[in-house]
Amino acid sequence: MADTRAAREMAETGAARPAGSWRDPRLPVAERVADLLDRMTVEEKAAQLVGYWTVSARPGEEVAPLPDDFGEPPPLEEVMAAGLGQLTRVFGTAPVPPAEGAARLRELQARVAAGNRFGIPAIAHEECLTGFMAFSATVFPSPLAWGATFDPGLVEEMAAAIGGSMRRVGVHQGLAPVLDVTRDPRWGRTEETIGEDPYLVGLVGTAYVRGLERSGIVATLKHFAGYASSRAGRNHAPAALGPRELADVVLEPFVLALREGGARSVMQSYSDVDGIPAHADERLLTGLLRDELGFTGIVVSDYFGISFLDDWHGVAGSTGEAAALALRAGVDVELPTVRCYGAPLVEMVRSGAIPVEHLDRSVSRVLTLKYELGLLDGAAESAPPSESPDGSGGTAPYAESPDGEQPNDPLDFDPPGHRRLARRIAEQSVVLLANDGVLPLRADRIAVTGPLADEARAMLGCYSFPNHMTGRFPDMPLGVDIPTLAEALRAELPEAEIDLAAGHGVEVADDADIAAAVAAARRAEVCVLALGDRADLFGRGTSGEGCDAETLALPGRQAELADAVLATGTPTVVVMLSGRPYALGDIVDRAAAIVQAFFPGEEGGPAVAGVLSGRVEPSGRLPVSVPRGPGGQPTTYLHSRTGGPSRWSSIDPTPLFPFGHGLTWTRFSYEALEVDPSAPTDGTIRVTATVRNTGDRPGTEVVQLYLGDPVASVVRPVRWLAGWARVRLEPGAAARVAFTVHADRTGFTGADLRRVVEPGRIDVAVGASSADLPLNGSFTLTGPVRVLGTDRVLTVPVEVTPC
């Protein structure tokens, strides 16, 4: 028994580090892990499976959902005596200056390594969805903004920059990206999703994974799986999913990110699907994730998710039973802090209620990752960042700034190169929804009104540090420069007279705010009306985790404000700064223009102002549909024929602005569609079309390819996105866009729950959005029904050739 060997070694060596092949870097990792595992006690093994939150939240200051009976964790010295798996958010829990945070992490790691007899340090993890979630770090645009760019390469560049900052100060793992597909935009965490199409989510999310992983940071895919499909868009509610929707929509981005991105960690969902919580779902976490998809990394619990098997889901009667369920299912690490996987797990193993094989399985995975990160080969004793090229003393590569420059100060979390990159992404993500010609702005007197007109936090999502921490530190400064929309417009249009009537609060509770906005609009030639969300947590905002919406009506009295301003007759540009799409049907016919920006980050103000002035070419496209009315939801463009409008229902779910929509300063035409007539069910089809700039200004078109399966063995969507290309053209110029579509990309989960490609006709459509498709054709797949394996083709290569 390992305990017997461990006792003998402790008696023989005392305080000395045990010798053995586990310390020999020349040996294969698997051999080293096996030797180390054999020398560990049950307590030492369990210690590798827990995190520790050095500063935990107090009641009323929640930064994560908490168990009902949550108390303070035991002291770190007590926990780390047997070792420690992870350190939780040393930078991301309080406003710590970079140098102080780096010193604190080094000190904690030294204590952890010195506190256990093997000298094993912890994996340090942080949130990094919109940048390194630390005080004074660059706040990049939100994931919905990534989706709006339709530019995976740009997102990969951003992720590499984020990872570089984290790795330089000794962080090892990032809890991003979110690969949940938008299903109901009432859900508060819609702002964290990339969009409503699984292929868009998969390609953009995979690019983020590649960028983070190549910087040396372990990417964590979340939330596996079905979190965004919760009933009524309520956080943590059960997910209403059938097996085909789960396979064909929800899981597809994870499959792509695992195979093409190389993610080394997965975090599961809080929700239950058909009565099975993800944290206890062995079929999901072991049968699918590991046995079928071949994942070999670590599975980490969402914060307190194992405890919730007892507290919320009611499938366990104690923390020990919760530990047994989660460990058997395949949850390797309990985050954020020790609870179920501490003493309760040890007791269950010693009593025989948990097989030691389950414990060893997870510990082996954790130790393997620690070996990969260099944590068992001296990286624990890290030098200060200025003395180590990556800031950790480890072997991870040094990540350059986005412009290729090495940062002068490795502890500058918001260097100029990062801000320039944040600006590029923000500019490329802004979507021009409608424009009657008022844009670009040419007026001399401009009113800037609305609750978000002069609010810096309106640019940020809930997983940005400034907004995430407001509940705990209400007086905390932003930490980075975030120009408001009004400030950015003054800088963008220095010759114009800017009349600001911003109001107070996103809910527009004060009649005086409406009166002031109306008065300012009447004095102006053009009015800019800023509406949308204020992101926060658990009901403290209108968007964000736990900030779900009953309908997609504008928050508070914003619709009343808009109605009053539009009634003045002054041409009004509505700017939406939000974390979800809102119903704009009552506004669209009266507004002169509508601009959508999904929490565009610290450079979002200048990006939006640049679009309004005409300096920036609008090239963003909608990653989610914008509804006409607040009801009749949820729906996305991925619906079957019976899911669309019909004379058999009084509700018309047709969106006001469809998925993929976005205007530019110019016009484009489509012509010369060519489609190969047929291919076998294991062959490829080439689809080509010409796009031409028919306007008088340069512009970028996002050429989109959609497929449809008119007759299949199960109900299929009317169409689905199969590929796209961003094409920038000068006036009068044209380009030929060629898509190579493998038959696998027509596959789906059949009646017997196997993924198949069926012979028959496949419809093809090419155009500017899911509803603007001027080119239509078809091809035929021939031969037998083909069952797909895990090696199926996941992507559609695209080539763009100038004509």
Side-chain angles (χ1 to χ4, degrees):
M1 291 288 292
D3 273 5
T4 303
R5 180 177 184 180
R8 185 171 63 251
E9 281 193 348
M10 284 189 283
E12 292 173 351
T13 63
R17 299 277 185 250
S21 59
W22 69 274
R23 303 186 67 178
D24 188 347
R26 298 168 298 178
L27 296 177
V29 168
E31 183 176 333
R32 299 177 72 187
V33 167
D35 180 66
L36 179 55
L37 191 67
D38 192 43
R39 298 171 185 275
M40 287 180 155
T41 66
V42 170
E43 288 80 3
E44 288 169 335
K45 292 175 182 178
Q48 292 301 314
L49 306 186
V50 298
Y52 190 84
W53 208 345
T54 56
V55 182
S56 57
R58 293 177 288 276
E61 302 176 345
E62 290 88 357
V63 292
L66 298 174
D68 295 335
D69 60 347
F70 177 68
E72 288 295 324
L76 177 59
E77 283 71 21
E78 178 181 329
V79 173
M80 70 183 187
L84 184 64
Q86 298 224 358
L87 283 167
T88 293
R89 285 168 53 175
V90 174
F91 288 89
T93 304
V96 180
E100 182 180 326
R104 172 66 169 158
L105 179 54
R106 291 195 301 275
E107 181 259 336
L108 286 170
Q109 287 285 40
R111 288 168 60 191
V112 170
N116 69 89
R117 65 192 183 99
F118 296 101
I120 304 174
I123 293 171
H125 78 257
E126 297 285 346
E127 298 283 0
C128 58
L129 189 65
T130 60
F132 184 7
M133 202 185 80
F135 183 68
S136 75
T138 304
V139 183
F140 289 94
S142 69
L144 271 183
W146 312 349
T149 69
F150 276 73
D151 192 339
L154 190 58
V155 172
E156 181 174 347
E157 188 178 347
M158 175 195 71
I162 294 169
S165 290
M166 296 168 70
R167 197 68 187 97
R168 281 192 291 274
V169 293
V171 176
H172 308 102
Q173 181 174 356
L175 302 187
V178 171
L179 296 185
D180 296 296
V181 178
T182 307
R183 302 302 284 165
D184 186 339
R186 294 175 297 178
W187 190 48
R189 302 188 78 167
T190 294
E191 63 171 69
E192 298 178 49
T193 69
I194 294 169
E196 67 183 42
D197 179 86
Y199 190 55
L200 176 68
V201 175
L203 280 189
V204 173
T206 297
Y208 182 98
V209 170
R210 280 196 299 264
L212 208 61
E213 287 281 356
R214 71 179 168 88
S215 72
I217 295 294
V218 176
T220 305
L221 311 182
K222 58 187 193 181
H223 306 87
F224 194 73
Y227 192 21
S229 300
S230 58
R231 285 190 175 98
R234 293 179 58 247
N235 194 35
H236 294 198
L241 282 170
R244 268 171 289 281
E245 183 179 350
L246 179 67
D248 292 350
V249 177
V250 173
L251 293 177
E252 279 295 272
F254 292 93
V255 174
L256 193 55
L258 289 171
R259 265 189 49 187
E260 305 289 332
R264 289 180 284 173
S265 179
V266 170
M267 174 183 282
Q268 63 273 69
S269 163
Y270 283 126
S271 297
D272 67 88
V273 176
D274 197 24
I276 308 298
H279 284 76
D281 194 341
E282 186 175 9
R283 183 176 57 179
L284 177 73
L285 300 180
T286 298
L288 174 65
L289 180 62
R290 295 194 183 276
D291 297 344
E292 184 177 333
L293 298 180
F295 178 63
T296 59
I298 63 169
V299 173
V300 299
S301 75
D302 206 339
Y303 282 16
F304 301 107
I306 300 174
S307 293
F308 294 153
L309 296 176
D310 173 19
D311 288 2
W312 291 1
H313 294 294
V315 295
S318 67
T319 53
E321 290 181 10
L325 282 175
L327 196 66
R328 181 180 65 198
V331 181
D332 299 314
V333 178
E334 180 182 28
L335 297 181
T337 204
V338 57
R339 197 164 187 264
C340 301
Y341 276 13
L345 184 146
V346 171
E347 182 180 340
M348 295 290 278
V349 172
R350 292 204 178 278
S351 71
I354 293 179
V356 70
E357 292 80 12
H358 289 175
L359 177 63
D360 288 353
R361 180 180 64 181
S362 288
V363 178
S364 294
R365 293 165 183 161
V366 171
L367 292 177
T368 297
L369 182 59
K370 287 191 172 185
Y371 271 118
E372 290 176 0
L373 292 169
L375 292 178
L376 277 79
D377 292 314
E381 299 161 3
S382 58
S386 60
E387 299 176 22
S388 177
D390 68 359
S392 69
T395 58
Y398 185 92
E400 294 183 349
S401 294
D403 52 12
E405 299 173 357
Q406 300 285 3
N408 293 326
D409 179 3
L411 293 185
D412 182 358
F413 284 174
D414 189 30
H418 285 201
R419 293 199 70 102
R420 288 192 290 271
L421 178 56
R423 174 80 70 93
R424 285 170 55 205
I425 300 169
E427 289 178 348
Q428 201 165 297
S429 73
V430 177
V431 185
L432 179 60
L433 297 180
N435 183 23
D436 70 358
V438 70
L439 296 180
L441 290 173
R442 295 175 293 274
D444 294 323
R445 295 189 310 280
I446 302 171
V448 181
T449 66
L452 305 182
D454 202 32
E455 174 55 72
R457 294 179 191 269
M459 304 295 167
L460 314 180
C462 83
Y463 270 79
S464 65
F465 191 87
N467 283 355
H468 206 76
M469 290 294 131
T470 52
R472 299 195 67 206
F473 305 100
D475 300 323
M476 178 186 73
L478 293 173
V480 291
D481 180 33
I482 307 173
T484 68
L485 180 59
E487 291 168 346
L489 278 171
R490 286 195 176 104
E492 186 75 31
L493 301 168
E495 303 302 320
E497 177 185 338
I498 304 295
D499 186 358
L500 176 62
H504 306 85
V506 71
E507 300 283 347
V508 196
D510 194 338
D511 289 343
D513 290 344
I514 298 178
V518 167
R522 285 177 173 153
R523 293 191 295 267
E525 299 173 60
V526 173
C527 177
V528 174
L529 175 61
L531 306 174
D533 283 316
R534 169 70 159 76
D536 208 317
L537 295 164
F538 309 118
R540 298 193 295 263
T542 60
S543 177
E545 184 173 0
C547 298
D548 310 313
E550 292 184 3
T551 74
L552 296 179
L554 288 166
R557 298 172 65 191
Q558 289 187 29
E560 183 181 343
L561 168 65
D563 185 68
V565 169
L566 292 168
T568 65
T570 300
T572 299
V573 179
V574 175
V575 174
M576 296 297 303
L577 300 170
S578 65
R580 63 167 63 86
Y582 281 105
L584 302 178
D586 292 337
I587 291 176
V588 64
D589 293 332
R590 294 184 292 160
I594 303 177
V595 173
Q596 174 70 62
F598 294 108
F599 289 147
E602 68 183 29
E603 287 290 329
V608 173
V611 169
L612 298 183
S613 73
R615 174 182 57 82
V616 174
E617 167 203 324
S619 64
R621 300 295 186 269
L622 282 176
V624 287
S625 306
V626 173
R628 182 174 295 276
Q633 297 292 323
T635 186
T636 74
Y637 92 95
L638 275 178
H639 62 74
S640 65
R641 275 173 273 183
T642 57
S646 81
R647 62 193 181 101
W648 309 115
S649 173
S650 58
I651 297 174
D652 183 354
T654 303
L656 179 64
F657 298 109
F659 173 85
H661 170 76
L663 304 178
T664 70
W665 300 137
T666 188
R667 301 177 304 279
F668 298 93
S669 66
Y670 287 80
E671 58 195 59
L673 176 68
E674 294 182 2
V675 183
D676 291 345
S678 65
T681 52
D682 62 353
T684 59
I685 291 288
R686 190 170 174 84
V687 178
T688 58
T690 296
V691 60
R692 188 179 306 277
N693 183 345
T694 58
D696 56 6
R697 292 190 60 170
T700 297
E701 179 69 317
V702 179
V703 178
Q704 300 166 43
L705 168 68
Y706 293 85
L707 302 179
D709 191 348
V711 180
S713 58
V714 299
V715 176
R716 301 283 287 131
V718 173
R719 63 179 61 94
W720 65 90
L721 181 68
W724 74 85
R726 287 181 57 92
V727 182
R728 192 170 195 279
L729 295 170
E730 296 296 320
R736 193 75 174 154
V737 182
F739 301 91
T740 301
V741 183
H742 195 278
D744 289 4
R745 293 294 297 130
T746 71
F748 59 90
T749 302
D752 61 0
L753 300 185
R754 295 187 302 173
R755 185 172 291 274
V756 295
V757 173
E758 293 183 341
R761 191 185 93 198
I762 298 294
D763 291 335
V764 173
V766 178
S769 78
S770 60
D772 180 9
L773 298 166
L775 301 182
N776 291 271
S778 66
F779 61 86
T780 301
L781 293 176
T782 60
V785 173
R786 183 164 148 263
V787 177
L788 298 179
T790 55
D791 60 346
R792 59 190 167 92
V793 177
L794 299 175
T795 59
V796 174
V798 186
E799 300 174 11
V800 178
T801 306
C803 292

